[in-house]
Every structure is written in C-alpha cells, then in structure tokens.
Amino acid sequence: MSGASTAGPAQDPSHRSPASGDAAPPTGPLQALLGGDASDHGTATDLVRVVDTPEARVRHPSDMLGMVVSALGVALVLVLSVVAHATTEGVTQDVRTFSSLLARILFVPVALLEGLITLFVPAAVLIELGWRRLGRQVVESICAAALGLVLGVVTTLTISRFGSDELVRGLSVYTDGAWQLTVPGYVAAIAGLLTTAGPRTRRRTVRWSWNVLYLALFIVLITGQVSLPGVLVALLLGRLAGQAVQYVSGVRSERAYGADLVAAVRRAGFHPTALVRVRDVSAVVDDEADADHAPVVPEDPVASYDADGDEVDETADDEVTLPPDPTTADAAAVALTRSGDNRVYALFTGDGEPRRDVVVLDGDRQVLTTVQRLWRALRLRGLEGRAAISLRAAAERTALLAYAAQAAGVRTPRLEGIGVADDSVVLVQEHARGAVSLRDLEDDDLDGPRGDAVLAQAWEQLRRAHESGLTHHALTPDVVLVHRDLSGQPHVWLTGWEQGEIASGTLSRRLDLTQMLALLALRVGARRALASAVRALPDDDIAAIGPLLQSIALPSPTREEVRRAKGLLDELREALVERLPQADVQPQNITRFGARTVIMLALTIVAVTVIVTTLNFEEIASAITEANPWWVAASFLLGALTWFGAALTFSAFSPEKLPLWRATLTQMAGSFVALAAPAGIGPAALNLRMLTRRGVSTPMAVATVALVQLSQFVVTVLLLVVLSVSTGSGGLIDLPSTTVLLAIAGVGIAVVATLLVPAVRRWAWEKARPTLEQVWPRLSQMLGQPTRLALGLGGNVIMTLGYVLAFDFALAAFGQSLNLIDVAVIYLVGNSVGAMVPTPGGLGGVEGALIAGLTAAGIPASLAVTVTMLYRVVTYWARVPIGWVAMKRLEKTGDL
C-alpha cells in the first residue's frame, strides 16, 4: 500500500502510474519519492488544482478517550489504595528502615535528579519547541503544566479534608515520625507538560524527559519519599491535564492536504488535473454555462501544484475551469460524504476520462471508528468483534470488503487504487454517476410499478451479498443509491461496506434484512415494504425478522428516522402477523448489555468509590457494636417479615396455585439478585420467572407482576394517609411535622405539574399507559375474588410496615426516636428517591436519601449515617447469604 503500488481492476495504461517498467527514470523530488515518473513533463497535466479547506488543527477523539481512561485510572487507584492498605502496611513497616538508609546513601543522585526534573526538563522541552517555532505549543504546554499542578493540589486538599483514614493512609508515607499525604503536584505538572509537548517518537527532549522522570520517581519510591498510589495518581492527573488541553485547543493536523494529497492520488496510479472537496453545498454550478467547461465557484480556497508537488500561483480569481463532469456535489457524492466520517473529493484526470471519487481515511479518526465498532460488536450478539486498530488496517479492511462485495456481484463502486501520504490513506473508486440516494429519491420514483422495481432491486443486491456470506451491518438511507438507465430501468447500488463482515452468521444476515425492511418502510410504508420483502424472501426469513424488529438492531441514522416515524416498528409487526399469523414478533434479546447496564455499572463504581473513600468504617463498626443488640435483632426480624408479606401478595395474585413457602423462597432469592439488579427489578424478574416456569403464559405473568407492583404503590400511599391520621400528625389542631409537610408539598407539585403542564401530562400518561393496559385484565379478574384481593393488599401492608418498623427500630438501637409518620415518610420517600438511581439495590442512592431525610428531621449527621448503615446492613447486606441459599434451593427444585 505504499510507494507506487496500485489496487483495483486494470485501467487505461495512460492513466496508471508508469512504475511498471516502461517508465522514464524518476526525476525531481516527487518522482524520487514515488519511485517513478508521475507525469510527462511539459504537459498541462503537470498542474493540479485543489479546491479544499485544510484544517490546520484538529481535535483527536483519542485525547477524549485518554481523558476518560485517565479519570477512571485515578478512581481505580484510589479504591485500590484503600482495599490494599492492610496488605501493604506490613510491607511498609519492613522497608521503612531500609528506605531511610538508602535515602542517605543516594542523597546526591536524588538531589541531582530532583534538580533535573525541576529545572532542566521543562527548560529543555520548551527550548526545543521554541527552536522548532512552535510558539502555540509552548503556550499549550505551559497551560497543561499549570492545570496538572492545580489538579494535584486540589486532589491533595480534597483527600485530606474529605477522605477516610484508610484512603489518607494509603496515599501517605511515614516521615519524621508521622504519616504525610503525598500526591506530588509537581509530577502532575511535568506529566501534563510532556503530554502536550508532543509524542516521544518525534521530540527527542520529550523522550529523554519521560525517561528521567520515571527514573526519578523510581528512586524516590524506593527511598520512601512518596507512596506508589500517590505517584500513580499524580501521573494520571498530569496525563488528564495534558489531554484536556490538547482536546480543547486541538493539535496540528497530520492529515494529507494539498501537495501531499496529490502525491497520494498519484501513488494510487492516477494523474489528477483537479481535486475538489465534496460537501453538501461545496460548489455552485452555473446551469446555463457550457457543459464542457462549467465554472465552479467554491467557497473553499484554490491551490495549484506542479508535477514536483510545489505550489504555484495559477489562478487570478475565484473561478476554476474544470474538465467535463464538473458537478462535484451531485447526489451520489453527497451521499458518500454523509454515509461515513471521511473526506471525499471529486477526482478529474482529463483527456475525457470519467470523474472518480477519492475517499480519504485519516488516522486521527480511526480511534473513534474503532471504539464505535467495538462498542456495537460488544453490545450486539452475532456481530464480528474484530476491529481495525490502525490506519493501515482500516484501509486494508475497507479494500477487502469492497473487493468482496464486487466479487459477490453486488452493484457497488469499484475500488481502483490506494495511496498513502502522511497520516492519511486515499481510496480512489468509481463514481456512481447519475445515482441518487434513497434519502433524496423523489416520491414519484417510488410510486407504482416504478417503485416496486426499485424495492425488488434493493432486495436483489442484498441477496447477492448474503449468498456469498457478506453482510453490510450499516444499511442507512445514504448507502442505497438508485439510478435509471435510458430505458427507465432502475439500478440499485449498495455502498459503504466498511462496517461489513465476511463469512457472517445467520443472525448477522437477519439483522441486515431487518435494517433493509425498516429502511424501505421509512419511504414506502410498512405494508408495502413488507410486501416487497415477501416477494423477495422465503417465509422462514420473513418470520425471523419479527423478533429483530427493534431499534437497537438498526444503525444510528436509520434508528433516528424510525424514532421520528412513531409507531413504524409496530406497524411492521402488525403487517408481518397479517402475512404470517404463526410468526413470533416478541422482541428477541440480541444485546449483551444495554445503556442501562452501563449506567448502572458506572454508578455502582461511583457509589462504591464514594462509600469506600469517605466513610470511616472503624467508627461505624464501633458505633454498631455499641448499639442495643435487642433492637438490632428486632430490626432484622421485622426486615425478614417483609419476605412473608411480599410472598403473600405474590401468592394471592398468582393466576395459578402457588405454595406460600415457594413464594417466600422466591422473595428471599430476590435479596441475592439485588446485588446485581437495581432496586425492585430483581424480585420482579424472579416472580416473572417463577410464574412462567409453572406454566403461566408470558402476557399473564407480566400482568400479574405489574399488578403486584401497582398494588404496592397504592398501599404505600394509603398507609401514609392512615398513619398520618392515626398518629395525630396532620389533624385539624396541630400542623403536621416539617417532614410530612415537605412530602405533601412534593406530591402536590407533582400532581399540579401532571394536570396543568401538557408535556408532563403526556409523559406521565405514556409511562403509565402500558402498565395500566397490562394490569387491567388481571385486576378485573381479582375484583371478582375479594378474598384473594384482601390477602394481596394485606401482604403489601405487612411488607411496608415491616420496612418502616425495621427503620424505626434501627433508630431505637441508638436511643433515638421520631414520630412514626416521620419515620414512614423518611423511609418511603428516601427509598423511592434512592431507588431511582439504577445501581444494584439502590446502592449509594438509598443511603444518601435516608441520611438526608434523618438529618432534615433533626437527627445529628453522625448518628444519621450510623443509623442508615445499620438499617442497610440488617435489611440488605445481611440478607444476601440467605438469598443465595434460597436461590440454590429453587434452582435445585426447578422453580427458577
């Protein structure tokens, strides 16, 4: 892919690189670089006009990715410094004496290295940047150093003030008879400066400065002057600062522009006379001008280059006379720019040759493309997980897929050449002359038999690819092109195979079929699109599409349009069932994990980090041991009573006879599942599983579980009202407590917003309607069985009161008390608000909400934390082992 190598089908020899043996000897710098004469001297083709807007600076997605990785690295080091503290403390004691002796022996080398780091490293790096006349990078490096220093100082102050004793000790060293927190801010400053100064492969001073920094840090580590976690945090903060400055300010572009772009096209084997950047509105074509020499008035600047790659001044005005076919911004070229995140140019070679398209892959964009591809492959089942991790690998993959599609007989632009220059690879391909993307196709072209022929052609092209084992994976409105020949016969092109897969599996091919069906339905409607699929595909393939009709199966552009066309996927499912009544259209789980899982994991990490690094576990353990054990035991027993209450409701509402003991075991098992599922989700999933295993149909099981959850909500609200009246809080004489008033105000605001604000009202109805539609058939049956309905509601009362009283007894264990209505409001509101945080068991959110509620009710903050921790221990953590035993029991009996 370098030098004068070419790729693609054979072309007219007059337009190939004369490196095949009959070429004249190389002359001039460009010819020497190419290994052959790029053009005949003295001809008009020596002059190449380039219409473009080069980007002097670009923002690398890799810098943003590096910032995220550095931030996660800091969090991981902080957690590990606490977790590994007990292990490393003994080692620290053993090496303390040796470190002191070594520090005295190495006093001169350590002082010398500290001087090099302090003075000579920044000076050497900045002098080299100044010598290279990189003034802006000098300023950026200084800013990165300042930001790194600020981050280091802020981190030190934050940890020293808010960090737990374990965290402070993990980042401290023992000097002068005391522990001293060490997060060297100057190390963060130097790391930020070196990160922004440039890669070590291109800056000699940067390379040696990193080596000196690592050596100095190693010495100060073994001499006990800093802690290993402190050094790692400082380095990561420096990297974070440097990458942040680079991303905000941008870095010098290493993409191929101008003469380098021309050289790359020549390496691909073509002699360009003009290269014009293609944009949606890149050029204004004078329709009344002569067709052979239509002037293009570009907004982009124009530059001319001779055969040696030197820029020459050949244009006196803004008009550029191009060869025939000057319409650089036609529908096919614009669709090509929209279908991928690459630069596209119109290539003209003169001598009446047809124009071609040049797709430029830039190295700085490959990180983002690789991350997107890996994310999609990890998230969706059935997709290839390998991704190109370098520019060369990405170009080779693109070329391979283009050749594979062409070999399969798919009508796709022919790849004719590949060239390399700087941090870019150019792909020269055939131009789909006269083609229009499906997005831009007129409605008249899709009506009647003319449109049916287009739909049939689209399915035919996809069938050819699938017969050869090739799948596309990114069927969007811009990769399906349509053009008609002189007889009016439509021809469909499939372009943009970069995300495709060779030797793909059945699921990959069915995902392609789903994407094509949704794509066509956006233009011609659900029923007509399905009718075209029925004519082109066997019934088995049509039936297999049903479970895949979900937005996650579609590429982003198609998914966005489907979301705007509300109800389209439902219409497709209905049309499919009309055609094949026996088809299953229940969505199949094709994702390994979703966005909710990622958010839950991230919030879990944050919650654990906050809890581990801020709470003083020694004080909490001491406080819990001082609690009244009888109240603690009573709190645990009342928490366990909630299993019976939930089981009673579940058994009463079950459409099939469900033994109360099995239902109780299911609720116990939910305590174990809560370790990995958000609050309330785990028990609901187990209830659903229990019902389906006992022969209950899925719709009925879903309705039953929804009815259980709805009844819990209704009982909770009614119980609050009853407690308020029965305890005297909320009577006509005395005002309710502040806690109750705040809760009433919150509920009132929510009700008013729901009733008066149309957007909120619509949102609430959209959220509630599916649940009500599921619950109503089952609820109507339960209304005819008052005994079972009463048992179900009674079980909810037992469960709610069990949690409220367990919380109240946790307060009593420390000699504290509140009105029962206040305790109920704090628990119910705090638990509901905390459960909105999608972490396992509401971890972090529930604790924070309960602590805030107790503090607002007048409980001292230290006691509020201790009471909340005790309550969570007896109602969450202590129940996990019991839930595990119950889970194993149910699995053994086949109930789960």
Side-chain angles (χ1 to χ4, degrees):
M1 200 185 303
S2 60
S5 62
T6 60
Q11 305 169 50
D12 186 347
S14 64
H15 293 280
R16 304 297 295 170
S17 176
S20 57
D22 55 352
T27 60
L30 181 60
Q31 286 79 3
L33 178 64
L34 297 177
D37 193 4
S39 63
D40 296 332
H41 292 289
T43 66
T45 58
D46 286 349
L47 188 65
V48 182
R49 290 184 172 89
V50 178
V51 183
D52 198 0
T53 304
E55 296 184 59
R57 305 185 70 83
V58 295
R59 288 185 172 90
H60 283 185
S62 58
D63 289 328
M64 175 61 74
L65 181 63
M67 292 166 57
V68 175
V69 172
S70 297
L72 292 177
V74 171
L76 180 61
V77 171
L78 294 178
V79 172
L80 292 180
S81 66
V82 175
V83 175
H85 173 68
T87 304
T88 59
E89 188 172 4
V91 178
T92 303
Q93 295 287 342
D94 295 337
V95 302
R96 186 179 301 157
T97 304
F98 173 74
S99 298
S100 301
L101 176 62
L102 192 61
R104 289 194 294 268
I105 296 174
L106 297 178
F107 173 74
V108 174
V110 171
L112 178 61
L113 283 172
E114 288 179 348
L116 287 174
I117 295 297
T118 304
L119 299 176
F120 293 104
V121 164
V125 172
L126 295 177
I127 288 173
E128 182 183 1
L129 293 178
W131 181 265
R132 295 175 179 267
R133 298 182 179 180
L134 302 175
R136 178 167 177 169
Q137 201 162 1
V138 170
V139 176
E140 292 170 350
S141 300
I142 295 174
C143 291
L147 179 59
L149 181 61
V150 169
L151 289 178
V153 172
V154 170
T155 301
T156 302
L157 295 176
T158 302
I159 293 175
S160 63
R161 180 170 179 80
F162 301 105
S164 64
D165 291 342
E166 291 83 356
L167 177 61
V168 174
R169 287 280 293 275
L171 297 173
S172 300
V173 293
Y174 191 82
T175 58
D176 299 330
W179 290 96
Q180 182 177 355
L181 179 63
T182 58
V183 179
Y186 198 74
V187 171
I190 295 297
L193 183 143
L194 296 180
T195 299
T196 309
R200 54 190 302 156
T201 55
R202 296 191 179 186
R203 304 277 189 272
R204 182 175 300 178
T205 56
V206 172
R207 180 172 66 252
W208 285 107
S209 295
W210 277 116
N211 295 337
V212 171
L213 178 61
Y214 291 147
L215 177 60
L217 291 177
F218 174 73
I219 291 178
V220 296
L221 275 173
I222 64 174
T223 55
Q225 299 181 48
V226 294
S227 64
L228 178 59
V231 167
L232 294 177
V233 169
L235 287 174
L236 290 170
L237 289 175
R239 292 288 296 176
L240 175 62
Q243 288 161 336
V245 171
Q246 284 183 313
Y247 188 78
V248 171
S249 178
V251 297
R252 296 185 65 193
S253 175
E254 298 176 2
R255 301 174 180 177
Y257 286 103
D260 295 323
L261 180 62
V262 172
V265 173
R266 285 173 173 159
R267 287 192 180 102
F270 295 88
H271 298 165
T273 59
L275 285 168
V276 183
R277 181 76 169 267
V278 175
R279 307 180 191 273
D280 285 354
V281 287
S282 63
V284 179
V285 180
D286 186 355
D287 294 331
E288 299 179 358
D290 181 22
D292 291 339
H293 296 85
V296 177
V297 185
E299 297 178 358
D300 298 318
V302 181
S304 299
Y305 301 89
D306 59 20
D308 290 332
D310 299 324
E311 184 173 354
V312 296
D313 184 10
E314 289 289 335
T315 57
D317 52 33
D318 288 335
E319 290 192 353
V320 181
T321 300
L322 297 177
D325 192 10
T327 312
T328 58
D330 62 0
V334 171
L336 184 59
T337 64
R338 291 193 302 235
S339 64
D341 190 21
N342 302 309
R343 289 183 283 148
V344 178
Y345 295 82
L347 167 64
F348 301 98
T349 55
D351 299 332
E353 286 294 311
R355 85 173 245 189
R356 297 174 176 84
D357 292 325
V358 176
V359 179
V360 183
L361 308 181
D362 295 312
D364 57 78
R365 302 298 305 174
Q366 296 311 308
V367 172
L368 184 60
T369 302
T370 300
V371 171
Q372 290 173 341
R373 182 176 177 83
L374 283 175
W375 168 254
R376 185 169 174 81
L378 286 173
R379 190 180 181 191
L380 286 180
R381 305 177 189 274
L383 296 187
E384 184 185 31
R386 296 188 302 273
I389 59 176
S390 67
L391 176 61
R392 182 176 293 271
E396 290 173 349
R397 178 185 179 85
T398 301
L400 176 62
L401 286 160
Y403 291 143
Q406 185 179 346
V410 180
R411 187 176 291 106
T412 190
R414 184 174 63 255
L415 181 62
E416 299 182 358
I418 303 176
V420 183
D422 288 341
D423 194 30
S424 299
V425 174
V426 301
L427 306 176
V428 182
Q429 65 183 41
E430 176 186 7
H431 175 61
R433 182 178 176 85
V436 178
S437 69
L438 191 63
R439 182 195 302 275
D440 301 324
L441 197 64
E442 297 292 339
D443 292 339
D444 293 342
D445 287 327
L446 291 172
D447 290 338
R450 288 166 54 88
D452 291 340
V454 172
L455 304 184
Q457 275 284 307
W459 289 112
E460 171 63 18
Q461 297 302 312
L462 192 59
R463 181 192 64 79
R464 292 181 184 180
H466 287 181
E467 285 183 348
S468 298
L470 185 66
T471 50
H472 194 285
H473 289 330
L475 291 170
T476 67
D478 293 311
V479 302
V480 179
L481 307 182
V482 181
H483 88 273
R484 295 186 182 275
D485 56 23
L486 296 178
S487 63
Q489 181 67 25
H491 299 279
V492 172
W493 301 60
L494 288 185
T495 66
W497 291 91
E498 293 83 0
Q499 301 296 322
E501 184 179 348
I502 296 175
S504 56
T506 302
L507 180 57
S508 294
R509 292 193 291 272
R510 288 174 176 174
L511 286 172
D512 265 8
L513 298 177
T514 304
Q515 292 180 10
M516 179 63 79
L517 179 61
L519 188 62
L520 298 179
L522 287 168
R523 290 305 316 267
V524 301
R527 282 170 171 74
R528 190 175 169 201
L530 184 65
S532 70
V534 169
R535 291 192 295 268
L537 303 175
D539 287 348
D540 289 343
D541 285 344
I542 297 295
I545 291 176
L548 300 180
L549 283 172
Q550 42 190 308
S551 60
I552 188 63
L554 308 176
S556 297
T558 307
R559 184 162 60 244
E560 291 173 3
E561 292 197 26
V562 166
R563 286 174 179 170
R564 288 194 292 268
K566 295 185 180 299
L568 180 64
L569 294 182
D570 291 334
E571 292 180 19
L572 283 171
R573 295 188 188 99
E574 293 173 1
L576 194 152
V577 172
E578 291 175 4
R579 291 275 182 173
L580 298 174
Q582 74 279 8
D584 180 16
V585 294
Q586 288 295 325
Q588 175 185 348
N589 183 18
I590 60 174
T591 59
R592 294 185 176 93
F593 55 86
R596 184 183 180 90
T597 306
V598 175
I599 294 173
M600 182 183 72
L601 179 61
L603 291 177
T604 301
I605 294 173
V606 172
V608 171
T609 302
V610 171
I611 292 173
V612 170
T613 57
T614 59
L615 296 182
N616 191 318
F617 290 99
E618 293 179 359
E619 292 183 2
I620 292 175
S622 176
I624 291 178
T625 56
E626 295 175 359
N628 188 316
W630 296 108
W631 286 113
V632 174
S635 179
F636 176 79
L637 292 176
L638 285 169
L641 184 64
T642 61
W643 286 331
F644 173 75
L648 186 62
T649 300
F650 182 39
S651 179
F653 287 165
S654 173
E656 298 290 335
K657 185 176 181 180
L658 183 63
L660 186 59
W661 173 241
R662 294 291 175 84
T664 304
L665 285 177
T666 305
Q667 309 314 308
M668 290 181 177
S671 298
F672 174 70
V673 177
L675 277 176
I681 301 299
L686 290 180
N687 290 344
L688 183 63
R689 178 68 174 169
M690 169 68 78
L691 291 175
T692 55
R693 291 288 292 178
R694 300 185 74 85
V696 179
S697 64
T698 300
M700 179 61 73
V702 171
T704 300
V705 172
L707 179 60
V708 169
Q709 294 177 318
L710 180 63
S711 67
Q712 290 173 355
F713 172 77
V714 172
V715 167
T716 298
V717 175
L718 294 177
L719 192 61
L720 276 175
V721 175
V722 171
L723 286 174
S724 178
V725 174
S726 62
T727 58
S729 298
L732 297 177
I733 300 175
D734 296 328
L735 286 175
S737 65
T738 303
T739 305
V740 175
L741 287 175
L742 290 175
I744 294 174
V747 173
I749 292 173
V751 172
V752 170
T754 303
L755 294 178
L756 298 183
V757 182
V760 177
R761 187 167 61 249
R762 286 193 299 268
W763 175 83
W765 173 244
E766 290 176 358
K767 292 294 183 181
R769 181 172 58 85
T771 302
L772 294 176
E773 290 177 349
Q774 289 177 340
V775 168
W776 177 248
R778 184 64 187 140
L779 179 60
S780 61
Q781 295 176 0
M782 293 301 301
L783 292 176
Q785 300 173 304
T787 302
R788 297 183 65 182
L789 181 61
L791 285 175
L793 297 178
N796 284 325
V797 172
I798 294 173
M799 184 183 67
T800 303
L801 281 178
Y803 279 123
V804 170
L805 292 176
F807 190 46
D808 188 46
F809 284 13
L811 266 170
F814 295 97
Q816 301 293 316
S817 64
L818 291 173
N819 291 333
L820 187 59
I821 182 61
D822 290 336
V823 175
V825 169
I826 292 171
Y827 164 72
L828 295 173
V829 175
N831 188 69
S832 300
V833 172
M836 294 180 183
V837 180
T839 57
L843 185 65
V846 172
E847 286 84 353
L850 293 179
I851 291 171
L854 288 175
T855 304
I859 301 297
S862 58
L863 271 177
V865 171
T866 307
V867 169
T868 300
M869 291 299 106
L870 174 62
Y871 171 75
R872 289 291 278 172
V873 166
V874 298
T875 60
Y876 181 70
W877 295 107
R879 290 155 45 123
V880 170
I882 302 174
W884 181 81
V885 174
M887 174 75 77
K888 292 300 180 182
R889 173 65 179 171
L890 291 172
E891 289 178 348
K892 185 176 181 179
T893 58
D895 290 302
L896 291 181

